[in-house]
Amino acid sequence: MDARRSTRTLLAGLATAALLAGSAGAASAADAKPAGDGARALCKRAPKVDQRIDRALKRLDADKARRGSVARLQQRVDNAKKAGHTEIATFLQGRLDTRESLKKDLQQRKKDLAGVKTWCAKNDGGKKDSAKNDGGKKDSDK
């Protein structure tokens, strides 16, 4: 019986030590500072981000037949009001307000991303400033 108890205590101690060692490594990784502003990575991702924003805006701007559209949710709010379901209408109105603000945010992001794309085109995809951010190292030195 005592052998089992000591084995369990030993295993619990080892598990605790492993957890503490793992969290110490994660903390030191979190303290690392970025070398640059991530311009090159953003320039690389910009086309996919643009596609994702376009897809979301297309869905939000669609007609009542499309799930996820503002028009469909507006129709649901109107139907709930006509049926006298005020609590449902209030809940759906909150979702509608959120969806409309999302649409405005996505439109603003699209404009901002256009500026990023212009900057990327002028700066060779973010590579021109990489020498400043990488301490003057060239791609072959890394």
Side-chain angles (χ1 to χ4, degrees), residues 42-131:
L42 183 57
C43 290
K44 187 176 178 182
R45 284 194 319 264
K48 288 191 177 192
V49 172
D50 195 28
Q51 289 174 350
R52 197 165 40 245
I53 290 172
D54 285 342
R55 190 173 53 235
L57 284 172
K58 183 179 176 183
R59 184 184 67 244
L60 290 171
D61 288 334
D63 61 356
K64 296 175 188 177
R66 174 86 162 123
R67 291 178 67 186
S69 69
V70 173
R72 183 180 179 106
L73 192 51
Q74 181 63 56
Q75 182 64 45
R76 290 181 64 195
V77 170
D78 294 342
N79 290 346
K81 287 179 181 177
K82 286 178 190 174
H85 302 153
T86 56
E87 292 84 5
I88 303 297
T90 302
F91 175 77
L92 291 175
Q93 184 63 47
R95 288 181 59 193
L96 180 62
D97 294 341
T98 302
R99 198 166 291 176
E100 287 172 341
S101 72
L102 173 65
K103 183 177 173 182
K104 290 177 187 172
D105 287 347
L106 288 174
Q107 290 167 340
Q108 182 61 45
R109 284 186 187 181
K110 182 126 177 101
K111 290 177 187 173
D112 294 344
L113 189 60
V116 169
K117 285 179 159 182
T118 302
W119 184 90
C120 290
K122 289 179 182 177
N123 292 285
D124 192 26
K127 293 179 186 174
K128 283 188 176 178
D129 287 342
S130 66

Side-chain angles (χ1 to χ4, degrees), residues 8-43:
R8 274 190 268 161
T9 305
L10 178 65
L11 290 175
L14 289 174
T16 304
L19 285 174
L20 290 175
S23 65
S28 64
D31 292 339
K33 294 181 181 169
D37 62 355
R40 191 179 334 183
L42 183 57
C43 290

